[in-house]
Amino acid sequence: MTKLLALPLLIALACLLAGIYGMVHNQISYTVGPDYFHAFKFHQFNIAEALPFRVGAAIVGWRASWWMGLVIGVPIATLALAMPTARQMAGAFVKAALMVVGITLALGVASLAVPVDPAQYHHFRIPAGVEDAQGFVRAGLMHNTSYFAGLLGLAVGVIR
């Protein structure tokens, strides 16, 4: 397979990895803050109430993150074109992509350890009816951190 034929396959792989990451990520964040999904994400992504909650969280994760595979995969795949063979290109791409996933997951989970003073909750858009404001804020921070961490992982993956 030529490197130019491998390019769209690697970008598709990046989208698949990003989508799967989002599905797994949302299983963690649903555990931390179910209200984040019930009061916000399920409405935002038009998830049917009859759907099992964990399945809904996984669907939200896929929809919210697959496109990050384009954002992250295109630059990494383009740089991997510099490798001499398609096999080396794919290997370099996979290493960099897994590095991005690892950094994103590590920082996303680490964000759960960041204490948020309830007096600061007014900085967050917490919908009416949320019963667990702390869980809502923590899940939201994990989501926001993961987007930032994905971009940071991209920078590390490109530099390495």
Side-chain angles (χ1 to χ4, degrees), residues 2-58:
T2 69
K3 292 192 297 183
L4 288 179
L5 287 176
L7 193 63
L9 294 174
L10 293 176
I11 294 168
L13 175 62
C15 291
L16 181 64
L17 281 172
I20 291 170
Y21 170 84
M23 294 169 78
V24 171
H25 169 279
N26 276 11
Q27 297 308 305
I28 298 167
S29 59
Y30 185 88
T31 300
V32 169
D35 273 351
Y36 184 74
F37 291 87
H38 294 284
F40 178 43
K41 288 295 182 182
F42 289 164
H43 300 289
Q44 182 184 31
F45 286 88
N46 200 27
I47 301 298
E49 291 181 25
L51 205 58
F53 301 143
R54 294 284 181 174
V55 172

Side-chain angles (χ1 to χ4, degrees), residues 60-121:
V60 169
W62 176 268
R63 290 181 184 170
S65 62
W66 74 266
W67 58 271
M68 282 296 287
L70 295 172
V71 172
I72 292 167
V74 169
I76 292 174
T78 302
L79 289 171
L81 278 170
M83 300 306 288
T85 69
R87 184 181 184 103
Q88 290 171 318
M89 175 187 168
F93 176 86
V94 168
K95 283 181 188 175
L98 291 176
M99 183 181 302
V100 171
V101 169
I103 289 169
T104 305
L105 182 61
L107 291 178
V109 171
S111 73
L112 295 175
V114 174
V116 179
D117 183 353
Q120 300 302 313
Y121 287 174

Side-chain angles (χ1 to χ4, degrees), residues 122-145:
H122 66 278
H123 293 293
F124 301 90
R125 292 185 177 153
I126 302 174
V130 168
E131 296 177 17
D132 179 14
Q134 180 183 25
F136 184 95
V137 167
R138 291 177 67 217
L141 284 173
M142 183 180 179
H143 279 253
N144 293 342
T145 299

